[in-house]
Amino acid sequence: MNKPFVLTVEDDTSIRNLITTTLKTNDYRYKSAMNGKEAIMEVSTYNPDIVLLDLGLPDMDGVEVIRDIRSWSNLPIIVISARSEDCDKIEALDAGADDYLTKPFSVEELLARLRATQRRLFFMSTEMLSSKSVFENGKLRVDYAGGCATLDGQELHLTPIEFKLLCLLSKNVGKVLTHQYITQNVWGRSLENHQASLRVFMATLRKKLEPDEDSPEYIQTHIGVGYRMVRVD
Ligand code: CA
């Protein structure tokens, strides 16, 4: 199988070099852009498999780049942000980014995020082909049409909100969902008290889903950002 084609958008030369060297030594195909306009042009010209996008670009806001790309393409976008840009990171995820890396990041983290995105792409394509109404992940099985879920063959007794949360997370497996995205999709809008409700429902869902609460297998918490369901082998 061909290694994916990755477009790196980063104006900082040393970080861009670190990324492209990593891609090169790991047999990825790659290209890079130094600003937002160049990024949009390269995405439409070369149709990469994954975009690594710095949020602080010289000519335009990285979030604007995401909105532009999202208006015509679903390709995975991993944003790269500095810790001081936490709000931008959340805005980027809400605008349609799939995942994020926070500077400074290690080569291992970069490769792990790329592998996770590749896995997500692979499962998305196979699930789309079979248009399954049942989702399976490790010992978890979610029957969307039947409105029920099992863990290791045992039925999970979920409330309607917990089931809705589980469906939303599983349909976006591998992707970080922000608090605002989740509350909007579960309750139809995002209110201050829904964020508190979300924490409560997430805690009760996890109690039922994760046999070992101290080392959760299925749902990751991204403090200050949101939640992600991970692919369990
Ligand atoms: Ca930058």
Side-chain angles (χ1 to χ4, degrees):
M1 199 174 81
N2 260 344
K3 278 275 190 179
F5 180 18
V6 181
L7 174 69
T8 306
V9 188
E10 170 65 80
D11 57 313
D12 184 317
T13 313
S14 57
I15 298 176
R16 195 176 59 243
N17 286 346
L18 168 76
I19 295 174
T20 49
T21 306
T22 304
L23 294 172
K24 192 175 176 180
T25 49
N26 288 277
D27 299 321
Y28 283 89
R29 291 176 296 143
Y30 61 94
K31 254 200 155 346
S32 54
M34 280 172 273
N35 58 56
K37 286 201 174 71
E38 208 184 312
I40 292 166
M41 209 178 66
E42 301 228 317
V43 169
S44 58
T45 311
Y46 299 105
N47 191 27
D49 298 305
I50 299 171
V51 174
L52 286 169
L53 175 70
D54 176 35
L55 288 180
L57 294 170
D59 62 333
M60 59 197 281
D61 193 333
V63 175
E64 289 307 313
V65 178
I66 297 170
R67 291 208 180 99
D68 192 295
I69 294 173
R70 275 291 169 268
S71 64
W72 48 273
S73 171
N74 265 327
L75 91 162
I77 301 172
I78 302 172
V79 296
I80 304 168
S81 70
R83 206 160 292 279
S84 58
E85 299 166 333
D86 262 4
C87 300
D88 302 349
K89 179 167 78 191
I90 292 168
E91 205 190 338
L93 290 165
D94 277 331
D98 295 75
D99 206 343
Y100 63 89
L101 274 164
T102 306
K103 291 178 193 173
F105 54 85
S106 65
V107 164
E108 287 72 31
E109 279 180 278
L110 169 64
L111 290 171
R113 294 274 63 81
L114 286 171
R115 278 195 304 270
T117 304
Q118 281 167 252
R119 269 205 302 277
R120 187 168 129 71
L121 274 177
F122 173 75
F123 280 108
M124 253 164 44
S125 58
T126 51
E127 260 156 42
M128 226 125 76
L129 280 177
S130 55
S131 63
K132 274 192 253 173
S133 62
V134 173
F135 167 85
E136 284 180 76
N137 187 16
K139 291 175 178 170
L140 172 68
R141 194 170 184 278
V142 184
D143 183 344
Y144 297 130
C148 58
T150 57
L151 186 69
D152 210 4
Q154 299 290 312
E155 184 165 1
L156 292 169
H157 297 284
L158 303 175
T159 65
I161 296 274
E162 287 165 357
F163 185 70
K164 241 174 144 172
L165 270 174
L166 184 63
C167 288
L168 188 66
L169 287 162
S170 63
K171 283 178 178 168
N172 291 282
V173 65
K175 189 169 167 159
V176 179
L177 303 180
T178 63
H179 296 129
Q180 184 177 322
Y181 181 87
I182 298 173
T183 51
Q184 260 168 0
N185 278 274
V186 172
W187 285 278
R189 58 201 166 126
S190 186
L191 293 174
E192 208 43 40
N193 59 343
H194 285 152
Q195 303 260 338
S197 308
L198 175 58
R199 269 199 300 279
V200 174
F201 282 109
M202 200 56 92
T204 58
L205 171 62
R206 284 172 131 174
K207 215 165 241 158
K208 297 172 185 180
L209 184 63
E210 308 278 13
D212 182 0
E213 280 177 62
D214 294 326
S215 54
E217 241 188 308
Y218 294 95
I219 303 172
Q220 282 178 346
T221 302
H222 289 249
I223 294 163
V225 178
Y227 300 92
R228 175 202 336 246
M229 177 175 284
V230 289
R231 238 336 140 177
V232 177
D233 295 322

